[in-house]
Amino acid sequence: MQTDIDPRSLIGRKAFDSEGVKIGTVDEVYLDDATGEPEWAALRTGLFSRDAFVPLEPSSLDETGLRVPFERALIRGAPDFGVGRHLSPQQELQLYRHYGLDVPADGEAPTPADRDFGRIAGAGD
């Protein structure tokens, strides 16, 4: 997915759902290895909560924070893969399906098992 959001500007920013309710703070940004584009953000959803992955496309960034066009319950119900690790192609597919998004055409192609996906922005640059 292509997005104009600069991953460096996201870390620590507040995130809001489709109703404008704060859902958390951006912890990490994951880049697509094939394109280098920011694709997912991990949101810390509360003091004792886990991180929830949200797609950066069709999200938008404004002066108040990241606007995620999904309801809070859907976001909090996203699959939990933990943060700080690569997202596998299968995990990305689960996230696309969870949010009802179209899978990118290149995401359907078989991929070598040793390839890393969903690397964290700034990791190993």
Side-chain angles (χ1 to χ4, degrees):
M1 291 186 169
Q2 295 285 326
T3 180
D4 292 330
I5 297 174
D6 179 356
R8 294 169 294 200
S9 68
L10 285 175
I11 306 300
R13 299 285 300 264
K14 294 177 185 175
F16 302 89
D17 71 1
S18 59
E19 301 296 318
V21 176
K22 182 182 174 201
I23 49 175
T25 304
V26 178
D27 252 359
E28 295 180 356
V29 176
Y30 288 74
L31 306 178
D32 181 281
D33 279 346
T35 66
E37 295 291 323
E39 190 166 16
W40 302 97
L43 305 180
R44 173 64 54 187
T45 59
L47 186 59
F48 299 107
S49 297
R50 65 179 181 86
D51 282 74
F53 287 92
V54 296
L56 290 175
E57 175 68 36
S59 298
S60 62
L61 185 62
D62 64 21
E63 63 279 346
T64 61
L66 183 68
R67 300 287 173 173
V68 183
F70 299 100
E71 293 180 358
R72 182 182 186 122
L74 182 66
I75 294 165
R76 288 194 170 193
D80 183 4
F81 302 123
V83 295
R85 296 178 232 151
H86 287 75
L87 290 175
S88 72
Q90 294 79 20
Q91 290 170 325
E92 286 192 76
L93 285 173
Q94 285 181 318
L95 288 168
Y96 280 114
R97 289 182 184 128
H98 175 78
Y99 287 106
L101 299 171
D102 292 333
V103 176
D106 60 359
E108 297 172 354
T111 310
D114 63 343
R115 178 153 179 209
D116 290 331
F117 281 81
R119 63 189 167 93
I120 301 170
D125 289 342

